[in-house]
Amino acid sequence: MKKMLAVIIMALTSLLCFAQSKRFINEKYELLDQQGQYEAIITSIKESDEAAYTATDFFYLGLAYFRLENDNEAQKYLKMAIQKDPDFSRPYYYLAGSYYYTNNLSEAINNYLKCIELNENDSKSYQMLGVIFEKQGDYKRALEYFSQFYEIEKSPDAAYRMAYILYEMKDYKKAKPYVEEYLKSNKDSFSMTNLMILILYSNEDYKNALKYEEQLREIWKQSTDESIKNQAFFIINSFSYDKYEIDVFEKFDLSGYFYYPLTCNVWLDGKIIKTVNLEYDAVTEEFGTPYLLGIDELNPKRHLTTNIGFTKYPEFPEFIKFVKLAVDNKLDIGASSESY
């Protein structure tokens, strides 16, 4: 689907219109495009003989087909617009988008680079090049293009991109200021507040992380977004240990007689093989150990309760120490059950 690019394109339209000569703009088709009347654009243009089409006509045909997600027709007409006028930058941008969504990334890159050649301040082409290289796992080149995007726009969206790519590169100290910048414009952002938590845990700054955890819980509580409200946990840390990848999650709703305040997904070869959980139990609280360490194994499927108990909510490094012991199968098991 082209939902993400559609948002980008709507933001891009006025910029490109300003950059292009007025001879490339058809106000009627611009309005129809904004109204989502793409078939009307096609019908109107095709009333004329194709031999008389201008670069602008070919472009709006290609744009309409692009919006309708008919990539074959979109690419055909956008290429015709470029043949008519090789210095017309808008067809290159949408042609690049069409190649991107049909997974022809090399051609997408070539066309975004052509946009930049024609307009060195084309921030959205820098952005999309960053997206492509991030998708390919080439974080260094992604950072190069996201940095150009940020330098031109200095927008919250640009700060968002910089924060995430630097986090992926494990450069947490450089990522943090971009998150802070973004949150100044949108303090209720679920994703960026969560990213700040991840960064602070990665920097072992657990004290400041607590402030953002409280903020994220409040965002979760007040949100009307079902994709947020339906989440029971939020991620606070990810790290590698031996041959495993471990993601640590904290529960939103810390209430009830029994629940997991913390849970760790243990990954091996792209699959979750077990979870290691901090368990709160109101029954064991009466005996002075409200928190226990449990393990859920996925194959075979069984729940294990270790002999590790905590008199109070453990500090994060202490909890992780026991998680690693659990992953290494070095903890004594007090009880087990085959279903959970």
Side-chain angles (χ1 to χ4, degrees):
M1 298 296 291
K2 293 172 178 162
K3 291 181 180 178
M4 181 186 76
L5 192 58
V7 174
I8 295 172
I9 290 167
M10 290 302 291
L12 176 71
T13 302
S14 60
L15 174 65
L16 287 178
C17 288
F18 177 79
Q20 292 293 329
S21 168
K22 287 290 184 183
R23 67 191 173 90
F24 289 124
I25 303 303
N26 184 302
E27 293 182 1
K28 173 186 173 182
Y29 298 148
E30 286 291 319
L31 181 60
L32 289 173
D33 179 50
Q34 292 171 21
Q35 294 172 342
Q37 297 187 47
Y38 312 129
E39 296 284 2
I41 295 174
I42 295 169
T43 300
S44 179
I45 294 173
K46 288 194 172 182
E47 287 176 350
S48 301
D49 184 357
E50 186 173 314
Y53 288 179
T54 64
T56 302
D57 293 325
F58 282 123
F59 166 69
Y60 281 106
L61 272 176
L63 176 63
Y65 281 115
F66 176 86
R67 301 291 202 208
L68 293 168
E69 302 189 21
N70 185 335
D71 288 291
N72 288 333
E73 290 296 290
Q75 291 172 18
K76 180 177 78 173
Y77 288 113
L78 291 169
K79 288 176 182 178
M80 288 180 176
I82 291 167
Q83 287 175 355
K84 279 282 187 179
D85 196 323
D87 293 330
F88 184 7
S89 68
R90 292 182 80 186
Y92 290 103
Y93 184 84
Y94 290 95
L95 184 58
S98 181
Y99 281 131
Y100 175 80
Y101 281 98
T102 52
N103 211 34
N104 188 343
L105 299 185
S106 62
E107 283 301 314
I109 290 169
N110 289 338
N111 281 278
Y112 284 128
L113 288 173
K114 184 64 179 180
C115 289
I116 292 168
E117 180 186 324
L118 293 170
N119 176 14
E120 63 181 9
N121 291 317
D122 183 357
S123 63
K124 299 304 180 183
S125 288
Y126 284 113
Q127 179 187 24
M128 288 305 299
L129 284 166
V131 168
I132 290 172
F133 286 113
E134 182 178 20
K135 182 178 181 179
Q136 293 179 329
D138 189 344
Y139 296 151
K140 185 177 179 180
R141 293 194 70 184
L143 177 61
E144 174 189 340
Y145 287 110
F146 283 143
S147 296
Q148 292 281 358
F149 172 46
Y150 179 81
E151 285 304 312
I152 295 168
E153 283 209 358
K154 294 289 195 303
S155 64
D157 188 31
Y160 180 98
R161 292 292 183 182
M162 289 295 293
Y164 265 103
I165 194 63
L166 287 165
Y167 175 78
E168 288 178 307
M169 297 175 75
K170 303 187 187 304
D171 197 339
Y172 307 122
K173 289 184 179 179
K174 287 186 179 177
K176 183 182 174 185
Y178 291 104
V179 181
E180 291 172 332
E181 180 182 335
Y182 184 94
L183 290 174
K184 286 179 183 177
S185 64
N186 183 6
K187 66 182 179 61
D188 294 326
S189 169
F190 183 91
S191 61
M192 290 301 272
T193 304
N194 201 165
L195 181 60
M196 179 62 89
I197 294 167
L198 283 162
I199 289 170
L200 292 171
Y201 269 89
S202 296
N203 284 334
E204 299 182 2
D205 188 353
Y206 309 123
K207 182 178 178 180
N208 282 319
L210 288 175
K211 177 183 74 173
Y212 287 96
E213 288 179 54
E214 291 173 4
Q215 184 174 322
L216 191 68
R217 291 180 192 281
E218 189 61 28
I219 293 170
W220 174 78
K221 189 185 300 182
Q222 300 298 329
S223 179
T224 57
D225 185 338
E226 288 301 314
S227 66
I228 293 175
K229 292 297 289 184
N230 290 337
Q231 295 188 47
F233 290 84
F234 60 94
I235 190 167
I236 62 172
N237 193 225
S238 291
F239 63 95
S240 300
Y241 175 65
D242 193 15
K243 58 186 177 181
Y244 305 100
E245 297 295 326
I246 300 176
D247 295 329
V248 189
F249 296 85
E250 189 167 315
K251 198 173 192 296
F252 274 112
D253 183 11
L254 300 178
S255 64
Y257 291 102
F258 180 86
Y259 59 89
Y260 293 173
L262 289 169
T263 189
C264 298
N265 289 341
V266 181
W267 296 78
L268 179 64
D269 298 330
K271 295 181 180 179
I272 299 174
I273 60 169
K274 68 174 69 176
T275 66
V276 183
N277 316 295
L278 181 67
E279 303 173 354
Y280 167 78
D281 192 327
V283 175
T284 60
E285 183 175 28
E286 296 179 4
F287 299 98
T289 53
Y291 298 102
L292 304 172
L293 196 73
I295 302 169
D296 287 329
E297 295 184 336
L298 302 188
N299 189 20
K301 193 172 182 180
R302 60 179 179 168
H303 177 74
L304 309 173
T305 302
T306 72
N307 287 326
I308 302 299
F310 304 94
T311 58
K312 61 180 182 179
Y313 197 93
E315 296 289 335
F316 188 74
E318 182 185 13
F319 170 66
I320 294 300
K321 177 182 72 175
F322 286 109
V323 168
K324 291 177 179 178
L325 290 171
V327 170
D328 290 335
N329 299 313
K330 292 182 178 179
L331 296 180
D332 293 331
I333 304 302
S336 65
S337 59
E338 294 301 317
S339 61
Y340 54 87

